[in-house]
Amino acid sequence: MSAFICFILGFLLGYAIRSLKKEKTVNNVVRRYSAPMTYQQKLHLKTHHQNDSDRIRELNELSRNQSVFLRLLKQTFINHEIAIKQKRFIILDRDYLPCAIFEYRDGTQAIKLMDHEDGLPLYLYKGLISSDELKQDYLNIISGQE
């Protein structure tokens, strides 16, 4: 009987010591400084997806007119890659860094606006699908890069 009591006391004492060791290791957490992201890293995150399923999901969410607009962009920007993120078309240069952002929205009145976002030209097309306007923007982007 005394062996059984010693066994139970040993078990409880071992459990108590083990739980104290766990508490000590939790308190010794090393915190590392994470440097802020550079401009290049921010641009990279703006254009790249985590995996292919995210990229395919973005393509499937496009409306019919946005798909037509994407086709016109691909015909106009032949030597550039086009990334789609949050229903925006991002034109990438040879280094896969963005050089311009295009956005198309459906609407009844045709409007074309130009703005800047994060140092990149942002072209907003609303209810306007025109290859001539895209060619003009292409020439503006190419002349600005050189």
Side-chain angles (χ1 to χ4, degrees):
M1 183 71 172
S2 66
F4 184 69
I5 294 174
C6 288
F7 178 72
I8 292 175
L9 287 175
F11 180 75
L12 292 175
L13 185 62
Y15 185 75
I17 291 172
R18 190 175 122 203
S19 65
L20 288 176
K21 285 184 180 180
K22 281 186 182 179
E23 288 177 10
K24 287 181 182 178
T25 58
V26 171
N27 292 336
N28 294 332
V29 175
V30 177
R31 299 190 193 279
R32 297 178 190 240
Y33 174 74
S34 63
M37 290 183 4
T38 64
Y39 180 70
Q40 299 266 336
Q41 290 170 332
K42 288 179 185 177
L43 290 179
H44 189 296
L45 283 177
K46 183 176 270 219
T47 60
H48 290 78
H49 295 284
Q50 294 292 329
N51 50 34
D52 285 339
S53 64
D54 290 340
R55 185 180 56 80
I56 292 169
R57 191 175 302 114
E58 290 277 351
L59 284 170
N60 288 336
E61 289 177 358
L62 296 179
S63 69
R64 182 171 181 250
N65 288 337
Q66 287 172 330
S67 298
V68 171
F69 189 74
L70 173 62
R71 223 172 304 129
L72 281 176
L73 278 174
K74 285 185 177 183
Q75 290 172 1
T76 305
F77 293 89
I78 296 171
N79 298 326
H80 294 77
E81 292 290 324
I82 299 174
I84 302 167
K85 202 153 187 192
Q86 297 174 351
K87 295 189 178 184
R88 287 180 155 187
F89 307 101
I90 303 168
I91 309 298
L92 305 173
D93 61 6
R94 291 183 195 137
D95 299 327
Y96 293 98
L97 291 174
C99 56
I101 302 171
F102 285 84
E103 189 172 337
Y104 178 83
R105 296 182 189 163
D106 291 324
T108 56
Q109 186 176 9
I111 298 173
K112 177 188 167 191
L113 300 173
M114 194 271 192
D115 196 10
H116 284 85
E117 179 180 296
D118 293 335
L120 298 172
L122 171 67
Y123 297 94
L124 174 65
Y125 284 76
K126 184 173 181 182
L128 174 70
I129 300 177
S130 170
S131 61
D132 295 331
E133 294 290 331
L134 285 174
K135 287 177 185 174
Q136 185 180 17
D137 293 338
Y138 172 75
L139 292 175
N140 290 339
I141 292 168
I142 295 302
S143 65
Q145 283 183 347
E146 298 176 341

